Amino acid sequence: ADGYYEYIMSECVYSTSDYSDMVYLNSYSFNKDVFLQFNSTVGKYVGLTELGVMNAERFNKDPALLQQKKAAVDTLCRPNAQTLDSAVRDKA
């Protein structure tokens, strides 16, 4: 079981039925520790470790990438939340 564990997780977090508080999070982890995160409310990448700060500086220099990540609330989160929420409500 020696080795490294790296993964990227995308989440859409909300608590209201109109999705007005929806936030898109894109987290980068290494060996279960988050080292870099994009938060749509903040609008940029934030480094949580030395490696994360280095990557955040690089990613934040790419306006096309930032625009894509900021838009994820409307292009990824809301459409999927609406589909999933209606599927749950229809079965309740």
Side-chain angles (χ1 to χ4, degrees):
D2 293 335
Y4 299 105
Y5 185 65
E6 183 177 9
Y7 63 97
I8 301 169
M9 181 175 11
S10 295
E11 300 174 83
C12 300
V13 181
Y14 61 99
S15 62
T16 59
S17 60
D18 67 354
Y19 312 121
S20 60
D21 64 341
M22 187 168 280
V23 177
Y24 171 71
L25 302 172
N26 188 224
S27 302
Y28 294 69
S29 299
F30 181 76
N31 284 351
K32 300 183 183 179
D33 292 323
V34 176
F35 67 91
L36 176 67
Q37 186 176 63
F38 178 86
N39 180 321
S40 63
T41 303
V42 176
K44 65 179 184 176
Y45 283 91
V46 176
L48 306 173
T49 66
E50 186 178 338
L51 174 64
V53 169
M54 181 184 68
N55 281 285
E57 289 172 356
R58 185 169 51 97
F59 290 163
N60 288 333
K61 290 179 183 174
D62 185 342
L65 176 63
L66 291 178
Q67 186 60 34
Q68 177 189 12
K69 294 295 181 182
K70 290 176 189 176
V73 169
D74 294 318
T75 61
L76 176 70
C77 292
R78 281 195 181 94
N80 284 308
Q82 290 168 341
T83 300
L84 294 170
D85 286 353
S86 67
V88 170
R89 277 192 299 272
D90 291 346
K91 299 206 185 305

